[in-house]
Amino acid sequence: MLSISLGPLVISISQLIIFLGLGIFWGLTYLLTRQHLLQKAILDTVFKAVVVGFLASRLAFVFTMWDAYQGNWWQLFNISDGGFIGYYGWLSGIVVLAFYARGKKAVMKNYAIAGFVGFCSMIIPNFALSIYQTGVQLPQSVVHNIQGQQVNLQNFKGKPVVINFWASWCPPCRKEMPVLQAAQKNNPNITVAFVNQGEDLHTVKAFLNEQQLDLNHVFFDQSSNVSRESGAAGLPTTLFYNNQG
């Protein structure tokens, strides 16, 4: 998953494509309603729909991962973990638009036209992104193992590789760890690497002991060079590579 970093905030390319689509939707709605006496109210409704959609997609994710957030309440507000369930957001936004446009066929028509164009504007970039991602190779930046030795993930070429970027403070990461541990033990023909982001050895060991996790291939990427090279957007991010890397 490709991403860009804006200070502490990590935004995936797919999220940027969504912002593009929303921007086109807003811009086209503006143009279509520029002669409308209620244009300000119409554009305010678009803003409300975006906010409600954002909150709905985040809350849906939080409720899905509710157990993992216990004891880490501040992480509820840490949207840099990329925790959103998109279709709840889209559905909620559409409901808001439909509610405020009820009985106003012309406004509803404008929303429909702008929505169709915005949707189409996201298809091609998403298609191109999916094609590009199939060619992304194993990162070349080195990581460190628990013994402090440098490891190049390129050395795992020869069989399929799964790289999981994680941190102990990340509730979704904590929740999926037992599943990934089972996958590692049940699939010896696949290398599953756990690349921790920004934490020290003591913190990671304490977490693994606390959760009673027995993992192989635990690595440290304290400067996040590997995650940036891989385009990892938020935590957790899991990437899959074939046997050719």
Side-chain angles (χ1 to χ4, degrees):
M1 184 182 294
L2 300 177
S3 65
I4 62 172
S5 297
L6 300 175
L9 184 63
V10 180
I11 302 176
S12 69
I13 299 299
S14 59
Q15 289 171 335
L16 286 178
I17 293 173
I18 291 175
F19 294 149
L20 169 66
L22 291 174
I24 290 175
F25 175 78
W26 186 92
L28 193 53
T29 300
Y30 174 84
L31 292 175
L32 291 172
T33 61
R34 62 187 183 279
Q35 302 297 330
H36 202 291
L37 294 177
L38 299 177
Q39 185 190 53
K40 184 178 184 303
I42 293 171
L43 295 178
D44 286 346
T45 298
V46 173
F47 177 76
K48 292 175 184 176
V50 171
V51 172
V52 170
F54 173 84
L55 293 175
S57 60
R58 177 61 180 177
L59 289 174
F61 178 83
V62 168
F63 288 139
T64 301
M65 296 286 182
W66 186 252
D67 291 341
Y69 281 98
Q70 305 304 306
N72 294 278
W73 296 109
W74 68 275
Q75 282 298 318
L76 292 172
F77 308 100
N78 182 19
I79 62 174
S80 65
D81 63 10
F84 299 92
I85 300 181
Y87 55 82
Y88 286 105
W90 291 116
L91 180 61
S92 300
I94 291 171
V95 168
V96 171
L97 292 177
F99 175 78
Y100 281 97
R102 66 191 187 282
K104 303 172 185 174
K105 292 184 178 179
V107 175
M108 189 70 78
K109 180 180 178 181
N110 290 334
Y111 284 153
I113 293 172
F116 177 76
V117 174
F119 174 76
C120 290
S121 71
M122 294 187 290
I123 292 179
I124 294 177
N126 271 309
F127 180 70
L129 180 64
S130 65
I131 292 176
Y132 177 79
Q133 286 180 323
T134 60
V136 176
Q137 295 189 344
L138 281 167
Q140 296 183 5
S141 300
V142 298
V143 293
H144 292 83
N145 60 21
I146 286 182
Q147 290 75 37
Q149 301 167 324
Q150 288 189 346
V151 176
N152 190 328
L153 296 175
Q154 291 272 334
N155 295 336
F156 292 116
K157 282 184 178 180
K159 62 180 182 179
V161 178
V162 176
I163 299 179
N164 176 254
F165 295 99
W166 68 284
S168 64
W169 51 259
C170 164
C173 302
R174 299 167 71 96
K175 186 169 184 176
E176 71 179 13
M177 275 293 180
V179 177
L180 293 171
Q181 175 182 250
Q184 186 180 68
K185 293 186 181 301
N186 296 331
N187 298 276
N189 59 318
I190 299 175
T191 298
V192 181
F194 299 90
V195 182
N196 180 270
Q197 297 296 292
E199 295 183 301
D200 58 35
L201 177 61
H202 174 75
T203 301
V204 171
K205 279 190 171 182
F207 168 75
L208 296 177
N209 291 333
E210 175 192 346
Q211 301 295 317
Q212 298 182 340
L213 295 169
D214 182 18
L215 306 175
N216 296 319
H217 303 311
V218 176
F219 302 117
F220 295 84
D221 180 27
Q222 291 194 331
S223 59
S224 298
N225 288 333
V226 174
S227 61
R228 281 195 294 269
E229 182 182 342
S230 303
L235 299 177
T237 293
T238 302
L239 304 178
F240 300 83
Y241 299 88
N242 61 22
N243 57 5
Q244 296 179 338

